[in-house]
RNA sequence: GGGUCGGUGGCGGAAUGGCAGACGCAGCGGACUUAAAAUCCGCCGGGGUGACACCCGUGUGGGUUCGAAUCCCACCCGACCUACCA
């Protein structure tokens, strides 16, 4: 017996050896095809949890497979190191967030090393390092110059627990709660910095076609961007003030019987008549207050008030009342709508409630449920569907619809001809609010001067550093506000007294460009920057970029994954990159659940600590188990007993490779045994290669287990009379290839066995070996089973050579005793023969 | 309300038009052991049989096909996302 598999010894041994050899250091090599594999960077929370293992170790296995397949693979790692938890810890424990963060980084680096992943540690980047965030600030200045960063006084979402504003994407759910702490947000009017992501709305939408991303992410981004095609139409009040509206149904303009303004709309004040003033003021106040209360699903009653003012419908000159209601949102479109109660559900509900006129302009077809409706009074609900335009002047008789020759197009053409409006596209996407009223983030490099206004910090003065001596008090206010040295500065333009911007950037800013930072982290460290610098070495950048394969969770679909696409387009327009999309392929893994099938959480007490299992079984087993659970994109529950199966597999591999055989064979193995093993080997290579290439680790591992079981079964046949192995190469080749195929998932045990197997004991690492190639000839079966069916039910099986002629199969099937028995003298109506598969005899 | 994905043994799953349940977990029986653990061998969807044969079976109901877990239609259930978007 050889010694047993001792994972703790070999794993730490090889991790140290690989590091010493620089096995995973990165070098650009134009002679080889590159592959940039990236897994979403971890936040410096303090501990790597099972979710990190589930996301990262399969990413590593895929990257290792690419590397063995001949690619020069870049698989970097770093830390998302700014954010609120560090600051909260600072307040609670009176430590600087930097200290808290770097303690966590150190612990997590150790945990990441235990994974045995091929991280390119030589390119590590940490986003709170001043040499990192000086480039975040450099980007900010560039975006500001391009008009893509701007400051605006506007109502914004504020989390009262985090004491900061949030971006639209970071407010979740119907109760509009904070993405981080679940607290319902409130509205505040504040001066805030934003990025003009909406400039790229159309491109962000259209370019989804260019990238190989999962359909659900594309759908979510598409919905989030929310393109609507319609028309912009100008109404006028009786006093001649214009009211712009956007509508997707300009064909129903003739059915507009009233207008509704959002409570925040600037015209509300102007058009409200004295009699209505108090009611309108109450409604506006109510709407403002409602924003501060968590809205529930039931709270959908359409409330609104008449302003007393009237507008003229530009298409037919009708005088229609103007209302104020909170179902019209200031943040979408123009904050004003024309209401067509006959054909819009919300308008219908509102009109019914307030006794407003309902007009029918689309006659529902006669065969529809609403087809008998001849007048609007009969309507039980709005009719948003098809039909023919009526009561609509120039477009009467046109079929309702958006296609060529139908009502929407016709209406837009008429509007444009008559100067009443234009075809228009509207997007739901809003600009990205990046200001955070917190200290532990990238300072926004701007200075407010009473004389010069808002002035950018000079490039050469970057980075704007966070102070080391900030005081953390539980006031809810950013320490930057009361740090005099940080706050009070001289104006870069007039040299007069000025105040530094104390907002910091959303941490999604750091992660919007981290894939570029990895290429050449902390570029120009310690050197002053200039406007025409490049943030990384251009040779390295053009070699590695863009990312070939990105892996991560779908929860970032409308945040990080949208922001980084925007950022890349902006970088392209500042001539920093030459491509349109940052990540060419994306794979979303599922979520690893607790043993109870629920999401892991401390409150449920179902959290699985990966370190515990690594101690007990080793990193290789934990890696393999996570990949064996099921399809990676599905996720699934952690089963503490099922991990035993993977552990046993590794012990069996150990034994099949190293142990003496149980009995000695007769000499050299029989030809059939040799061919059988060779066939199984090449079938396994084909299967495993295909599965690794498409992230199907569960079936790849199953194939490896099956192959190992085969090796165990036949081992004694390949044993020479003296107890040692025969000279025959197939056994040796099989074992070597088993280790090569295991290397991506089980890097340590594969390396250990590879080295022990090597003659002379000083072989190059298993991870530097070439991926084995399956030979289809050798993988071919000599004999296959063809199923014989009678009326679709299996009644017999034939053992034949592959490619046996169809006529021959048919003859054999008809001659079968079993078949004869089932045919029972009945007529053969038809015989279906599928070569190498089956014969189906249809009788009756 | 809208969208997306899914429903297969006791459990995780495999099979995406051709032998349902690969691989693994749990369970049962056996070997080894003073005993247990570990390990090894065998069984393992349900009914039926001494054993076969045979019958039933992939959420439910229909359909297409020589043949359906797989394709189509309707419905039921679950997960996730989204939601007054004009």
């Amino acid at each position: 017996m050889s010694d047993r598999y001792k994972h703790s010894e070999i794993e730490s041994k090889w991790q140290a050896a690989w590091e010493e050899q620089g096995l995973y250091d990165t070098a650009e090599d134009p002679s080889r095809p590159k592959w940039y594999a990236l897994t979403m960077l971890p936040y410096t929370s303090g501990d790597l949890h099972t979710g990190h293992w589930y996301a990262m170790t399969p990413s590593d296995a895929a990257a290792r497979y690419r590397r063995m397949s001949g690619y020069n693979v870049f698989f970097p790692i770093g830390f998302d190191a700014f954010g609120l938890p560090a600051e909260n810890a600072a307040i609670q424990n009176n430590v600087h967030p930097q200290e808290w963060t770097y303690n966590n980084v150190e612990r997590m680096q150790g945990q990441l090393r235990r994974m045995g992943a091929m991280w390119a540690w030589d390119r590590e980047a940490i986003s709170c390092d001043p040499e990192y965030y000086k480039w975040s600030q450099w980007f900010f200045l560039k975006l500001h110059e391009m008009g893509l960063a701007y400051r605006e006084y506007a109502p914004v979402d504020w989390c009262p627990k985090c004491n900061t504003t949030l971006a639209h994407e970071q407010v979740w759910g119907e109760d509009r709660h904070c993405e981080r702490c679940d607290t319902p947000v409130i509205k505040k009017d504040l001066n805030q910095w934003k990025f003009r992501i909406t400039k790229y709305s159309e491109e962000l939408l259209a370019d989804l076609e260019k990238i190989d991303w999962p359909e659900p992410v594309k759908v979510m981004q598409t919905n989030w961007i929310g393109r609507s095609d319609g028309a912009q139409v100008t109404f006028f009040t009786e006093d001649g003030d214009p009211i712009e509206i956007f509508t997707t149904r300009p064909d129903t303009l003739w059915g507009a019987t009233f207008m509704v303004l959002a409570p925040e709309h600037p015209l509300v004040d102007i058009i409200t008549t004295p009699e209505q003033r108090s009611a309108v003021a109450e409604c506006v106040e109510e709407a403002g207050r409602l924003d501060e209360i968590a809205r529930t699903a039931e709270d959908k009653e359409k409330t609104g008030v008449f302003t007393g003012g009237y507008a003229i419908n530009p298409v037919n000159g009708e005088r229609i009342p103007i209302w104020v209601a909170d179902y019209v949102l200031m943040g979408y479109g123009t904050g004003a709508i024309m209401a067509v109660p006959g054909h819009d559900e919300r308008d219908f509900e509102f009109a019914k409630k307030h006794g407003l006129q309902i007009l029918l302009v689309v006659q529902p077809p006669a065969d529809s449920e609403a087809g008998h409706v001849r007048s609007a009074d009969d309507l039980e609900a709005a009719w948003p569907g098809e039909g023919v335009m009526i009561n609509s002047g120039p477009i009467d008789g046109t079929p309702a619809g958006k296609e060529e020759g139908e009502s929407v197009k016709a209406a837009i053409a008429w509007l444009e001809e008559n100067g009443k409006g234009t075809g228009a596209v509207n997007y739901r996407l809003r600009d990205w609010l990046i200001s955070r009223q917190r200290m532990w983030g990238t300072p926004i490099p701007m200075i407010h001067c009473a004389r010069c206004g808002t002035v950018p910090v000079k490039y050469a003065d970057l980075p704007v550093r966070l102070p080391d001596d900030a005081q953390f008090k539980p006031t809810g206010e950013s320490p930057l506000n009361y740090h005099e040295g940080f706050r009070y500065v001289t104006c870069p333009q007039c040299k007069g007294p000025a105040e530094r911007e104390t907002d910091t950037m959303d941490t999604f800013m750091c992660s919007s460009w981290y894939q570029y930072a990895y290429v050449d982290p902390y570029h120009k460290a310690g050197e002053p920057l200039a406007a025409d610098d490049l943030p990384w070495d251009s040779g390295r950048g053009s070699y590695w970029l863009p990312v070939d394969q990105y892996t991560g969770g779908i929860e970032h679909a409308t945040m990080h994954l949208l922001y980084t696409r925007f950022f890349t387009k902006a970088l392209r327009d500042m001539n920093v990159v030459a491509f349109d999309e940052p990540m060419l392929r994306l794979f979303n893994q599922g979520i690893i659940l607790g043993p109870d099938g629920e999401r892991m959480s401390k409150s449920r007490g179902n959290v699985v600590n990966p370190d515990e299992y690594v101690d007990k079984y080793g990193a290789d087993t934990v890696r393999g188990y996570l990949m064996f659970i099921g399809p990676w994109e599905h996720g699934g529950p952690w089963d503490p007993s099922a991990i035993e199966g993977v552990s046993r597999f590794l012990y069996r591999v150990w034994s099949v490779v190293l142990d003496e055989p149980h009995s000695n064979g007769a000499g050299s193995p029989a030809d059939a045994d040799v061919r059988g093993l060779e066939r199984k080997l090449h079938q396994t290579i084909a299967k495993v290669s295909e599965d690794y290439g498409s992230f199907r680790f569960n079936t790849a591992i199953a194939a490896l287990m099956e192959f190992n079981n085969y090796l165990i079964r036949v081992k004694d046949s390949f044993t020479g009379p003296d107890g040692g192995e025969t000279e025959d190469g197939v056994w040796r080749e099989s074992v070597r290839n088993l280790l090569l195929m295991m290397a991506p998932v089980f890097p340590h045990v594969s390396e250990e066995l590879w080295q022990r197997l090597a003659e002379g004991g000083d072989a190059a690492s298993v991870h530097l070996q070439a991926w084995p190639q399956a030979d289809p000839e050798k993988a071919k079966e000599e004999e296959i089973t063809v199923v014989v069916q009678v009326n679709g039910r299996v009644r017999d099986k034939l053992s034949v050579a592959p490619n046996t002629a169809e006529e021959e199969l048919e003859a054999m099937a008809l001659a079968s005793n079993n078949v004869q028995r089932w045919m029972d003298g009945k007529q053969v109506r038809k015989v279906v023969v599928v070569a190498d598969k089956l014969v189906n005899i249809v009788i009756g």
Side-chain angles (χ1 to χ4, degrees):
Chain A
M1 282 292 275
S2 67
D3 56 342
R4 298 254 296 162
Y5 165 42
K6 295 192 189 82
H7 56 79
S8 55
E9 278 173 28
I10 67 168
E11 289 185 355
S12 52
K13 178 179 85 180
W14 285 113
Q15 284 161 20
W18 294 333
E19 189 150 1
E20 198 188 321
Q21 295 163 19
L23 190 63
Y24 305 126
D25 287 353
T26 310
E28 292 72 29
D29 178 358
S31 70
R32 282 197 297 155
K34 67 95 181 181
W35 188 262
Y36 187 168
L38 183 66
T39 180
M40 287 182 184
L41 87 175
Y43 171 68
T44 50
S45 58
D47 274 300
L48 236 43
H49 49 75
T50 311
H52 288 118
W53 276 76
Y54 194 66
M56 291 173 166
T57 57
S59 304
D60 174 61
R64 286 175 177 279
Y65 170 66
R66 284 279 166 185
R67 174 169 161 150
M68 292 176 80
S69 302
Y71 288 88
N72 187 20
V73 173
F74 183 34
F75 187 54
I77 186 72
F79 293 93
D80 181 23
F82 273 136
L84 201 48
E87 206 165 331
N88 290 339
I91 295 166
Q92 269 169 31
N93 311 326
N94 202 29
V95 289
H96 195 281
Q98 176 161 329
E99 194 182 328
W100 182 86
T101 302
Y102 275 91
N103 282 340
N104 288 351
V105 164
E106 205 174 317
R107 183 153 73 252
M108 292 171 80
Q109 284 169 334
Q111 291 170 325
L112 284 164
R113 282 185 158 81
R114 287 190 85 191
M115 281 183 177
M118 52 174 284
W119 308 118
W121 285 108
D122 59 330
R123 304 279 174 105
E124 181 191 28
I126 302 173
S127 68
C128 68
D129 190 309
E131 296 300 339
Y132 188 100
Y133 69 68
K134 81 176 182 188
W135 286 109
S136 297
Q137 292 171 339
W138 185 90
F139 285 122
F140 184 96
L141 293 179
K142 298 294 275 188
L143 293 171
H144 187 251
E145 280 168 20
M146 295 164 75
L148 291 173
Y150 66 98
R151 194 164 182 246
E152 185 182 52
Y153 185 78
V156 292
D157 294 311
W158 174 273
C159 172
K161 185 160 177 215
C162 298
N163 281 307
T164 184
T165 52
L166 298 172
H168 187 206
E169 292 78 16
Q170 291 156 29
V171 180
W172 286 10
E174 59 192 35
D175 62 344
R176 299 188 45 75
H177 62 263
C178 169
E179 167 252 335
R180 179 169 284 284
C181 71
D182 296 343
T183 309
V185 301
I186 61 174
K187 287 277 179 200
K188 276 199 176 188
D189 289 316
L190 286 172
N191 251 315
Q192 296 288 291
W193 287 98
K194 293 182 178 178
F195 285 159
R196 208 178 295 282
I197 188 172
T198 54
K199 185 188 168 191
Y200 296 95
S201 298
E202 186 55 37
E203 208 190 334
L204 286 167
L205 185 65
D207 284 0
L208 286 171
E209 248 180 59
K210 295 185 186 169
I211 47 181
D212 184 5
W213 282 23
E215 213 46 41
V217 175
K218 290 187 178 187
V219 168
M220 284 166 76
Q221 292 206 349
T222 301
N223 292 340
W224 193 258
I225 295 166
R227 177 184 163 128
S228 299
D229 289 77
Q232 183 117 2
V233 184
T234 312
F235 283 59
F236 288 93
T237 66
E238 280 188 310
D239 297 335
D241 290 316
I243 311 178
E244 294 287 335
I245 62 115
F246 173 79
T247 176
T248 55
R249 292 294 305 271
D251 55 332
T252 62
L253 263 163
W254 286 265
T257 53
F258 59 101
M259 297 189 78
V260 186
L261 303 182
E264 304 88 354
H265 197 284
L267 266 179
V268 169
D269 238 16
I270 298 166
I271 58 170
T272 302
T273 56
E275 310 83 75
Q276 296 300 111
R277 194 155 292 275
S278 69
V280 168
E282 197 181 313
C283 171
V284 170
E285 196 194 319
E286 172 81 0
R289 202 169 56 78
L290 258 183
D291 276 334
E292 300 188 18
I293 300 167
R295 290 193 191 179
T296 57
E298 293 82 359
D299 189 17
K300 275 186 168 170
E301 183 93 336
K302 302 248 175 298
T303 53
V305 173
F306 179 44
T307 62
Y310 287 86
I312 303 302
N313 186 335
V315 299
N316 56 14
E318 294 287 329
R319 181 170 177 265
I320 57 176
I322 305 172
W323 285 62
V324 175
D326 66 354
Y327 81 94
V328 175
L329 308 173
M330 198 59 218
Y332 182 79
T334 60
I337 62 160
M338 67 162 185
V340 185
H343 306 284
D344 180 281
E345 277 176 50
R346 293 153 305 176
D347 298 345
F348 183 86
E349 195 188 318
F350 193 81
K352 277 284 180 200
K353 189 174 170 194
H354 296 102
L356 294 158
Q357 190 194 359
I358 299 171
L359 212 60
L360 204 61
V361 291
V362 181
Q363 179 62 50
D367 57 352
S368 77
E369 223 172 282
H372 67 281
V373 171
R374 301 308 305 179
S375 81
D377 298 338
D378 303 339
L379 272 184
E380 281 168 19
W383 177 253
E386 54 190 25
V388 173
M389 302 311 299
I390 54 171
N391 304 323
S392 293
I395 62 167
D396 261 1
T398 317
K402 303 205 165 200
E403 301 305 314
E404 206 58 53
E406 294 180 341
S407 60
V408 172
K409 287 243 158 76
I412 291 172
W414 186 87
L415 286 169
E416 289 180 349
E417 258 169 51
N418 292 277
K420 311 272 190 189
T422 55
V425 177
N426 196 44
Y427 299 91
R428 205 189 79 119
L429 185 66
R430 297 180 201 185
D431 278 340
W432 173 16
L433 194 162
I434 60 134
S435 278
R436 296 292 177 271
Q437 290 67 43
R438 307 297 316 183
M439 183 251 187
W440 193 235
T442 305
I444 292 174
M446 285 289 173
I447 289 169
H448 303 291
C449 170
R451 261 194 288 178
C452 309
T454 301
V455 183
V457 171
K458 293 199 175 334
Y459 285 97
D461 293 338
L462 298 181
V464 175
R465 281 175 190 274
L466 290 168
D468 295 327
D469 56 350
Q471 298 291 305
F472 294 90
K473 302 171 189 165
T475 59
E477 206 183 338
S478 166
L480 297 179
N481 280 338
Y482 43 81
H483 190 284
E484 298 196 354
F486 181 84
R487 184 161 179 180
Y488 300 105
V489 291
T490 53
C491 170
Q493 261 174 37
C494 70
K495 309 297 174 201
E499 286 189 31
R500 198 183 283 291
E501 171 66 63
T502 56
D503 282 357
T504 55
M505 296 182 213
D506 183 0
T507 57
F508 280 113
M509 171 77 178
C510 313
S511 54
S512 286
W513 69 279
Y514 81 110
Q515 69 271 27
Y516 305 126
Y518 284 154
V519 164
D520 184 18
Y522 314 134
H523 183 60
K524 297 195 81 174
E527 297 175 42
L529 301 188
D532 59 356
D533 272 329
L534 276 180
W536 53 83
D537 178 87
S538 63
R540 288 180 163 196
S542 57
Y543 180 72
W544 290 116
L545 299 174
V547 173
D548 294 284
Q549 180 68 61
Y550 199 28
T551 50
I554 197 171
E555 66 273 15
H556 290 112
T558 57
M559 297 193 289
H560 163 61
L561 289 172
L562 192 60
Y563 297 146
T564 192
R565 293 185 60 221
F566 153 68
F567 217 82
T568 294
K569 291 176 191 305
L571 257 52
R572 178 202 58 200
D573 290 347
M574 63 176 84
N575 294 319
V576 168
V577 300
F579 45 83
D580 298 323
E581 288 288 338
M583 287 96 177
L584 302 179
R585 296 172 196 80
L586 172 67
F587 187 94
N588 290 130
Q589 79 274 356
I591 299 167
I592 182 80
L593 304 170
D596 55 358
E598 299 291 328
R599 213 178 261 258
M600 286 188 198
S601 76
K602 278 182 191 144
S603 58
R604 274 204 190 85
N606 63 348
V607 175
V608 173
N609 175 9
D611 294 343
E612 213 177 279
Y613 284 89
V614 174
D615 288 344
K616 185 169 175 194
Y617 294 101
D620 280 340
T621 298
V622 173
R623 291 167 60 102
Y625 170 62
L626 286 168
M627 293 184 232
F628 187 60
I629 288 176
W632 194 24
E633 66 272 28
H634 286 183
W638 173 282
D639 180 346
S641 64
I643 191 172
E644 291 281 354
V646 176
S647 179
R648 284 176 201 149
F649 166 64
L650 294 185
Y651 280 96
R652 286 187 198 127
V653 170
W654 185 274
S655 145
V656 94
V657 174
L658 297 181
D659 281 359
E660 298 293 320
H662 296 293
S663 66
N664 296 340
S668 50
D671 282 356
D673 291 340
V674 170
R675 278 201 305 276
L677 178 55
E678 197 173 58
R679 185 183 315 124
K680 189 73 186 167
L681 168 64
H682 284 272
Q683 287 173 347
T684 305
I685 294 171
K687 170 73 178 157
V688 171
S689 306
E690 198 188 319
D691 285 353
Y692 278 166
S694 49
F695 300 107
R696 291 196 297 255
F697 301 103
N698 57 327
T699 47
I701 293 168
L704 291 172
M705 288 175 167
E706 212 178 313
F707 185 51
N708 190 50
N709 291 344
Y710 188 97
L711 290 177
I712 291 169
R713 206 160 54 242
V714 302
K715 178 165 181 161
D716 289 349
S717 321
F718 287 84
T719 306
D722 58 354
E725 277 177 37
T726 59
E727 287 305 303
D728 194 285
V730 180
W731 174 262
R732 201 176 166 73
E733 213 31 45
S734 294
V735 170
R736 282 168 51 91
N737 279 318
L738 172 66
L739 297 176
L740 291 175
M741 288 188 279
M742 286 173 62
V745 176
F746 310 99
H748 310 90
V749 69
S750 311
E751 181 78 306
E752 176 71 18
L753 291 172
W754 181 261
Q755 298 295 335
R756 288 193 185 210
L757 221 52
E759 314 208 344
D762 191 25
S765 168
V766 70
H767 304 297
L768 294 173
Q769 306 302 317
W771 188 255
Q773 295 302 306
D775 180 341
E777 278 307 309
K778 289 180 175 164
K780 255 188 199 157
E781 292 286 355
E782 286 173 17
E783 195 173 67
I784 54 172
T785 303
V786 169
V787 171
V788 182
Q789 297 180 332
V790 177
N791 282 351
R793 324 219 36 171
V794 180
R795 298 304 181 191
D796 202 1
K797 289 170 187 178
L798 305 173
S799 269
V800 297
N803 299 320
T804 300
E806 295 193 2
E807 306 80 63
E808 199 177 330
L809 288 175
E810 182 175 339
M812 288 170 78
L814 288 168
S816 148
N817 284 338
N818 283 348
V819 171
Q820 288 298 329
R821 199 149 58 82
W822 282 96
M823 281 170 59
D824 193 25
K826 292 202 184 86
Q827 193 73 39
V828 174
R829 290 175 170 244
K830 188 176 176 181
V831 180
V832 179
V833 184
V834 181
D836 293 352
K837 283 265 162 82
L838 89 162
V839 180
N840 189 12
I841 298 162
V842 185
I843 60 170

Coordinates of all heavy atoms in Angstrom, one line a residue, chain A residues 29-51:
Chain A
D29 N 2.1 37.7 -24.4 CA 2.9 36.8 -25.3 C 2.1 36.8 -26.6 O 1.2 36.0 -26.9 CB 3.0 35.4 -24.8 CG 3.7 34.5 -25.7 OD1 4.1 34.9 -26.8 OD2 3.9 33.3 -25.4
P30 N 2.5 37.8 -27.5 CA 1.8 37.9 -28.8 C 1.8 36.7 -29.7 O 1.0 36.6 -30.6 CB 2.5 39.1 -29.5 CG 3.3 39.8 -28.4 CD 3.6 38.7 -27.4
S31 N 2.7 35.7 -29.4 CA 2.8 34.5 -30.2 C 1.6 33.6 -29.9 O 1.4 32.6 -30.6 CB 4.1 33.9 -30.1 OG 4.2 33.3 -28.8
R32 N 1.0 33.8 -28.8 CA -0.1 32.9 -28.4 C -1.4 33.6 -28.3 O -1.5 34.8 -27.9 CB 0.2 32.2 -27.0 CG 1.3 31.1 -27.1 CD 1.2 30.3 -25.8 NE 1.6 31.0 -24.7 CZ 1.2 30.7 -23.4 NH1 0.4 29.7 -23.2 NH2 1.6 31.4 -22.4
P33 N -2.5 32.9 -28.6 CA -3.8 33.5 -28.4 C -4.1 33.8 -26.9 O -3.8 33.0 -26.1 CB -4.8 32.5 -29.0 CG -4.1 31.2 -28.8 CD -2.6 31.5 -29.0
K34 N -4.7 35.0 -26.7 CA -4.9 35.3 -25.3 C -6.4 35.0 -24.9 O -7.3 34.8 -25.7 CB -4.7 36.8 -25.1 CG -5.7 37.7 -25.8 CD -6.9 38.2 -25.0 CE -7.9 39.0 -25.7 NZ -9.0 39.5 -24.9
W35 N -6.6 34.8 -23.6 CA -7.9 34.6 -23.0 C -8.0 35.3 -21.7 O -7.3 34.9 -20.8 CB -8.2 33.1 -22.9 CG -9.6 32.8 -22.5 CD1 -10.1 32.5 -21.3 CD2 -10.7 32.7 -23.4 NE1 -11.4 32.3 -21.3 CE2 -11.8 32.4 -22.6 CE3 -10.9 32.8 -24.8 CZ2 -13.1 32.2 -23.2 CZ3 -12.1 32.7 -25.3 CH2 -13.2 32.4 -24.5
Y36 N -8.8 36.3 -21.7 CA -9.0 37.1 -20.4 C -10.3 36.5 -19.7 O -11.4 36.7 -20.2 CB -9.2 38.6 -20.8 CG -9.2 39.5 -19.6 CD1 -9.1 40.9 -19.7 CD2 -9.3 39.0 -18.2 CE1 -9.1 41.8 -18.7 CE2 -9.4 39.9 -17.2 CZ -9.3 41.3 -17.4 OH -9.3 42.1 -16.3
A37 N -10.0 35.8 -18.7 CA -11.1 35.2 -17.9 C -11.3 36.0 -16.6 O -10.3 36.2 -15.9 CB -10.8 33.7 -17.6
L38 N -12.5 36.4 -16.3 CA -12.7 37.3 -15.2 C -13.9 36.8 -14.4 O -14.9 36.5 -14.9 CB -12.9 38.7 -15.7 CG -13.1 39.8 -14.6 CD1 -11.8 40.0 -13.8 CD2 -13.5 41.1 -15.2
T39 N -13.7 36.8 -13.0 CA -14.8 36.5 -12.1 C -15.0 37.8 -11.3 O -14.1 38.5 -11.0 CB -14.6 35.2 -11.3 OG1 -15.7 35.0 -10.4 CG2 -13.3 35.4 -10.4
M40 N -16.3 38.0 -11.0 CA -16.6 39.3 -10.3 C -15.8 39.4 -9.0 O -15.7 38.5 -8.2 CB -18.1 39.4 -10.0 CG -18.9 39.6 -11.3 SD -20.7 39.8 -10.9 CE -21.4 39.9 -12.5
L41 N -15.3 40.6 -8.8 CA -14.3 40.8 -7.7 C -15.1 40.8 -6.4 O -16.3 41.3 -6.3 CB -13.5 42.1 -7.9 CG -14.1 43.4 -7.4 CD1 -13.0 44.5 -7.6 CD2 -15.4 43.8 -8.1
P42 N -14.5 40.3 -5.3 CA -15.2 40.3 -4.0 C -15.1 41.6 -3.3 O -14.2 42.4 -3.4 CB -14.4 39.2 -3.2 CG -13.1 39.3 -3.8 CD -13.2 39.7 -5.3
Y43 N -16.2 41.9 -2.6 CA -16.2 43.0 -1.6 C -15.4 42.6 -0.4 O -15.5 41.5 0.0 CB -17.6 43.5 -1.3 CG -17.6 44.5 -0.2 CD1 -17.1 45.8 -0.4 CD2 -18.1 44.2 1.1 CE1 -17.1 46.7 0.6 CE2 -18.1 45.1 2.1 CZ -17.5 46.4 1.9 OH -17.5 47.3 2.9
T44 N -14.7 43.6 0.3 CA -13.9 43.2 1.4 C -14.7 43.1 2.7 O -14.5 43.8 3.7 CB -12.8 44.3 1.6 OG1 -13.5 45.6 1.6 CG2 -11.8 44.3 0.6
S45 N -15.6 42.1 2.7 CA -16.5 42.0 3.8 C -15.9 41.3 5.0 O -16.3 41.5 6.1 CB -17.7 41.1 3.4 OG -17.2 39.9 3.0
G46 N -14.8 40.6 4.8 CA -14.1 40.0 5.9 C -13.9 38.5 5.8 O -12.9 38.0 6.2
D47 N -14.8 37.8 5.2 CA -14.7 36.4 5.0 C -15.2 36.0 3.7 O -16.2 36.5 3.2 CB -15.4 35.6 6.1 CG -14.6 35.5 7.4 OD1 -13.5 34.9 7.3 OD2 -15.0 36.0 8.4
L48 N -14.5 35.0 3.1 CA -15.0 34.4 1.9 C -16.1 33.4 2.3 O -15.8 32.5 3.1 CB -13.9 33.7 1.2 CG -13.5 34.0 -0.2 CD1 -13.5 35.5 -0.5 CD2 -12.1 33.5 -0.6
H49 N -17.3 33.5 1.7 CA -18.3 32.6 2.0 C -18.5 31.6 0.9 O -17.8 31.6 -0.1 CB -19.6 33.3 2.4 CG -20.1 34.3 1.4 ND1 -20.6 34.0 0.2 CD2 -20.0 35.7 1.4 CE1 -20.9 35.1 -0.5 NE2 -20.5 36.1 0.2
T50 N -19.4 30.6 1.2 CA -19.6 29.6 0.2 C -20.0 30.1 -1.2 O -19.6 29.5 -2.2 CB -20.7 28.6 0.7 OG1 -20.4 28.3 2.1 CG2 -20.7 27.3 -0.1
G51 N -20.7 31.2 -1.2 CA -21.1 31.8 -2.5 C -19.9 32.2 -3.3 O -19.9 32.1 -4.5

